[in-house]
Amino acid sequence: MTPIPRLAQGGRWRVEAMRSYSSNLLLWFTRGQGRITVAGTTRGYGAHNAVFIPSGVMHGFEVSTQVFGTAIFIPRDLGFPLPVMPTHLRIRDAIPQAEVTGILDNLQRELEGSQPERVRAIHHHTGLLAVWMRRQILLHEAENKAPDAAQRLTTRFTEMIESEYKSGMNIAEYAEALGVTPTHLSRVCNQACGRPASALLSDRVIFEARRLLRETKTPIQQVAADLGFTSPAYFTRAFQHHTGQTPSAFRRER
């Protein structure tokens, strides 16, 4: 568990750029508002919104100085009834708001404590959190609309990006694999999240480049090759275009 503003430490790109995590993620916003993009669909979020993002799903969100809340990273394969699809819940009633606040408070207390049976308590509090989410999903199902064709295509596209972003595939190749034209793919991405297909792809690739440059000692030439760039020079130009810095300058700041 970590405060949402802390996720942005070290650069806003850590929350705003498209990326995914190997763990499931629950974002519980308690104050402020902004936009969040999950699996290629952008929605507004505000206070008392719960956003569940399964592991491996691309996402990014705005976080201003007015935004507060908690990010809970939940390991996979714990046996809990966690959603398999991204879920955005707007919790309007005070009772479920208080319920999740109490669960998170208890979970935080156990994570920071040293009481006997601590691990078992953490496990059970996480299970209660999963039950709370499932209950809210069932209560909200009647209000949720089925995703339209544009949202479904954008979701398929972001899923493909997540599996292929290191391959060097371009938008035309993604569009061909999805059975649509590049123009149509870009149009539906703009419709679903306000960004063209090329921006979603480059955002994911450059986020990974930033992560590798900041968190590893992998040579820049190897980073370029690992991310599917045809040459280190092309990688440097693309990185500088998106960040305003060369890869070596970005790495020196870590």
Side-chain angles (χ1 to χ4, degrees):
M1 294 178 64
T2 186
I4 287 174
R6 192 175 296 168
L7 292 179
Q9 290 180 354
R12 293 173 67 88
W13 63 270
R14 290 187 179 276
V15 288
E16 293 184 356
M18 294 295 108
R19 101 299 312 274
S20 69
Y21 293 120
S22 58
S23 295
N24 301 299
L25 173 63
L26 174 64
L27 299 170
W28 172 242
F29 295 98
T30 55
R31 199 171 84 185
Q33 59 185 7
R35 294 185 305 172
I36 183 167
T37 301
V38 181
T41 299
T42 300
R43 295 185 176 90
Y45 71 81
H48 305 125
N49 279 202
V51 182
F52 181 80
I53 306 168
S55 62
V57 172
M58 278 178 43
H59 66 281
F61 61 98
E62 301 170 348
V63 55
S64 71
T65 56
Q66 304 302 314
V67 171
F68 288 89
T70 303
I72 305 96
F73 293 89
I74 306 171
R76 295 178 295 180
D77 304 323
L78 291 181
F80 296 133
L82 295 171
V84 296
M85 298 294 292
T87 303
H88 189 146
L89 300 168
R90 305 179 192 279
I91 310 300
R92 298 180 177 89
D93 295 335
I95 292 176
Q97 291 172 11
E99 287 175 346
V100 71
T101 297
I103 293 170
L104 294 179
D105 285 346
N106 289 331
L107 184 56
Q108 185 73 56
R109 188 177 303 112
E110 294 294 342
L111 286 167
E112 295 176 348
S114 58
Q115 293 291 323
E117 296 292 309
R118 170 178 171 270
V119 172
R120 183 176 297 180
I122 290 170
H123 184 83
H124 287 302
H125 286 307
T126 307
L128 286 173
L129 184 61
V131 170
W132 180 88
M133 279 193 286
R134 179 62 180 159
R135 180 175 290 168
Q136 298 310 312
I137 289 169
L138 291 173
L139 292 172
H140 284 71
E141 275 182 348
E143 301 175 15
N144 293 338
K145 296 180 181 179
D148 60 22
Q151 290 175 325
R152 291 195 298 271
L153 177 57
T154 308
T155 297
R156 288 170 58 205
F157 174 55
T158 60
E159 290 172 348
M160 186 174 288
I161 288 177
E162 189 56 36
S163 64
E164 301 293 342
Y165 70 88
K166 296 180 181 180
S167 68
M169 286 175 61
N170 58 35
I171 292 300
E173 292 169 319
Y174 277 99
E176 182 179 4
L178 291 166
V180 297
T181 66
T183 300
H184 181 69
L185 180 59
S186 197
R187 182 168 59 247
V188 298
C189 288
N190 267 314
Q191 179 183 334
C193 64
R195 305 184 70 195
S198 58
L200 294 176
L201 174 58
S202 62
D203 212 13
R204 182 64 182 96
V205 173
I206 297 301
F207 177 86
E208 186 66 13
R210 285 164 157 160
R211 189 189 70 78
L212 291 170
L213 292 169
R214 278 278 171 88
E215 300 176 9
T216 75
K217 295 181 180 180
T218 305
I220 292 173
Q221 184 173 358
Q222 187 60 48
V223 171
D226 289 347
L227 294 178
F229 287 91
T230 54
S231 71
Y234 178 42
F235 169 61
T236 296
R237 288 195 299 272
F239 190 88
Q240 190 164 15
H241 173 75
H242 284 89
T243 68
Q245 294 178 293
T246 64
S248 55
F250 182 84
R251 170 167 274 174
R252 284 196 297 269
E253 290 185 354
R254 68 178 181 177

